[in-house]
């Protein structure tokens, strides 16, 4: 009997995951999208026209808004819902999700009110179960086109991580394993904040030297924060850390970098949000990380300045001056 994987969410990464998983002809893949009209359109046209136009779903992938139909017989759930909507979405469908079924999370963020990581939110809402974080430099636009990419499947249970590794690996998508779930999730969340900072630098026209410094000092802040919360420092030197950070800071596909760039060019956050189709996780994550860092007295100057720009209307130029004029110190 073919294994079945149900993808919870109808966004770009959900679509890309469906395309990856469907390369195994022995696997049934179903996407659950909450919006009935949206799901029906994807099922009929075989295309996520809003977020991945021109890329078509394999014939075997089913799309439905009926959660009971979507999860029936599933061996794995893939969670692909923005972190700010994760709790509410899972609360709506939680009764339909079987206990104990492992969840593969491709979510990169943190809950602002509770400071919980995606795996913790999942367990909090739908009960204790294995959660695997699939993370790394992995823009959906490129994955869906079958461009080469490498990521990490992080899970405290190495055997389960290896199972997910085999599920997702194709000739164009390479998966490594890692036992550091905490570090992998924190790296995936914090890189979005640094992505906003890199975008601000781009918007101000500061050039490559400035962006390189932002990436380098950004990974220092990410590592400092992660280690304080119990992560393995080696994680931040790998695909989930510096790898994902580089892609986020340089790619034209990056929503967080794009938000920063528009801020640097003089737009307000309200103006930007009113014209965005997809969610930029870094905005919510900045509030969460800034609050947690302050409570734990973790020094994070880049995060502090991004927070001030996003939520206190500090000008990007003033934020840059604040960073450049900090007291001199050793690297």
């Amino acid at each position: 009997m073919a294994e079945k994987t149900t993808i919870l969410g109808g966004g770009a990464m959900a679509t890309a995951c469906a395309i990856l998983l469907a390369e195994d002809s022995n696997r049934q893949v179903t996407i659950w999208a909450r919006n009935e009209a949206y799901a029906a359109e994807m099922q009929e046209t075989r295309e996520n026209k809003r977020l991945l136009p021109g890329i078509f779903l394999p014939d075997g992938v089913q799309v439905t808004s009926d959660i009971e139909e979507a999860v029936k017989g599933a061996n794995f759930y893939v969670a692909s819902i923005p972190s700010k909507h994760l709790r509410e979405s899972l609360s709506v469908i939680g009764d339909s999700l079987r206990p104990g079924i492992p969840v593969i999370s491709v979510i990169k963020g943190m809950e602002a009110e509770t400071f919980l990581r995606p795996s913790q939110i999942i367990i909090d809402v739908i009960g204790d179960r294995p959660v695997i974080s699939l993370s790394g430099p992995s823009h959906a636009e490129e994955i869906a086109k079958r461009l080469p990419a490498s990521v990490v499947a992080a899970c405290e249970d190495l055997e389960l991580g290896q199972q997910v590794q085999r599920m997702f690996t194709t000739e164009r998508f390479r998966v490594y394993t890692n036992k550091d779930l905490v570090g992998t999730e924190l790296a995936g969340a914090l890189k979005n904040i640094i992505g906003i900072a890199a975008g601000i630098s781009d918007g101000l026209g500061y050039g490559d030297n400035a962006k390189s410094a932002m990436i380098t000092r950004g990974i220092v802040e990410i590592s400092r924060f992660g280690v304080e919360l119990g992560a393995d420092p080696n994680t931040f030197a790998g695909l989930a850390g510096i790898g994902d950070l580089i892609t986020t800071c340089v790619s034209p596909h990056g929503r967080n970098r794009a938000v920063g760039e528009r801020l640097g060019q003089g737009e307000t956050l309200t103006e930007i949000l009113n014209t965005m189709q997809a969610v930029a996780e870094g905005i919510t994550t900045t509030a969460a990380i800034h609050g947690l860092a302050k409570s734990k007295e973790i020094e994070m100057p880049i995060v502090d300045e991004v927070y001030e720009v996003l939520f206190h209307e500090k000008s990007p130029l003033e934020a840059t001056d604040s960073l450049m004029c900090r007291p001199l110190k050793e690297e």
Side-chain angles (χ1 to χ4, degrees):
M1 183 178 178
E3 287 195 342
K4 178 178 176 179
T5 301
T6 298
I7 300 171
L8 305 174
M13 184 55 73
T15 305
C17 287
I19 291 170
L20 278 176
L21 292 167
E23 289 203 27
D24 182 351
S25 59
N26 293 318
R27 182 175 305 281
Q28 297 178 31
V29 181
T30 299
I31 296 173
W32 171 78
R34 186 172 180 177
N35 184 289
E36 185 176 355
Y38 186 61
E41 180 186 52
M42 284 183 65
Q43 174 65 16
E44 181 179 355
T45 65
R46 316 303 300 157
E47 183 184 8
N48 189 331
K49 291 183 177 181
R50 184 169 64 91
L51 298 175
L52 289 178
I55 297 172
F56 295 92
L57 291 168
D59 291 340
V61 175
Q62 300 299 308
V63 186
T64 180
S65 61
D66 184 336
I67 187 61
E68 298 293 343
E69 177 187 349
V71 302
K72 184 178 181 180
N75 306 97
F76 280 90
Y77 304 136
V78 176
S80 185
I81 301 167
S83 60
K84 66 182 294 184
H85 302 309
L86 182 59
R87 180 177 297 276
E88 188 261 339
S89 295
L90 290 180
S91 297
V92 171
I93 64 175
D95 290 343
S96 300
L97 304 180
R98 286 164 48 207
I101 298 294
V103 177
I104 303 163
S105 169
V106 294
I107 303 164
K108 298 175 180 179
M110 180 176 279
E111 192 169 51
E113 298 79 13
T114 65
F115 305 140
L116 294 180
R117 295 175 280 110
S119 64
Q120 295 173 309
I121 300 170
I122 290 166
I123 290 171
D124 191 39
V125 179
I126 62 173
D128 192 23
R129 64 186 65 225
V131 180
I132 307 92
S133 176
L134 192 69
S135 190
S138 49
H139 282 309
E141 295 85 351
E142 295 184 2
I143 294 170
K145 294 177 181 176
R146 301 188 76 251
L147 298 178
S150 296
V151 300
V152 167
C155 181
E156 296 169 359
D157 181 340
L158 181 58
E159 186 175 341
L160 184 57
Q162 290 171 337
Q163 186 177 352
V164 173
Q165 178 184 44
R166 292 189 293 270
M167 282 174 59
F168 276 87
T169 294
T170 73
E171 62 182 17
R172 288 290 181 270
F173 195 77
R174 181 174 176 82
V175 183
Y176 292 82
T177 57
N178 185 332
K179 295 182 71 174
D180 183 18
L181 178 63
V182 173
T184 297
E185 287 194 300
L186 289 177
L190 272 77
K191 59 93 182 181
N192 287 328
I193 306 174
I194 308 303
I196 294 174
I200 290 173
S201 179
D202 286 342
L204 291 167
Y206 282 163
D208 296 336
N209 293 336
K211 183 180 281 190
S212 294
M214 189 68 69
I215 292 172
T216 305
R217 296 309 302 172
I219 198 65
V220 170
E221 290 193 23
I222 291 171
S223 302
R224 182 187 297 142
F225 184 91
V227 170
E228 183 69 25
L229 269 68
D232 181 346
N234 291 322
T235 297
F236 305 109
L239 288 167
I242 190 65
D244 205 2
L245 179 62
I246 291 171
T247 291
T248 299
C249 291
V250 305
S251 173
H253 301 306
R255 294 189 292 271
N256 296 283
R257 193 206 64 81
V259 167
E261 184 172 30
R262 292 174 66 179
L263 288 167
Q265 292 171 343
E267 292 187 62
T268 67
L269 182 59
T270 300
E271 290 170 340
I272 295 167
L273 292 177
N274 286 340
T275 58
M276 287 190 70
Q277 288 188 317
V279 174
E281 291 274 20
I283 297 170
T284 301
T285 303
T286 298
I289 297 297
H290 179 265
L292 189 54
K294 289 299 182 187
S295 70
K296 293 183 173 293
E297 298 184 349
I298 305 171
E299 185 182 19
M300 304 190 77
I302 298 175
V303 172
D304 290 344
E305 294 305 323
V306 172
Y307 178 83
E308 292 298 320
V309 171
L310 289 175
F311 301 108
H312 290 162
E313 298 183 353
K314 187 173 187 177
S315 79
L317 185 59
E318 289 177 329
T320 302
D321 290 343
S322 296
L323 287 173
M324 295 300 291
C325 296
R326 295 176 65 240
L328 300 178
K329 58 189 295 187
E330 291 186 18
E331 185 177 33

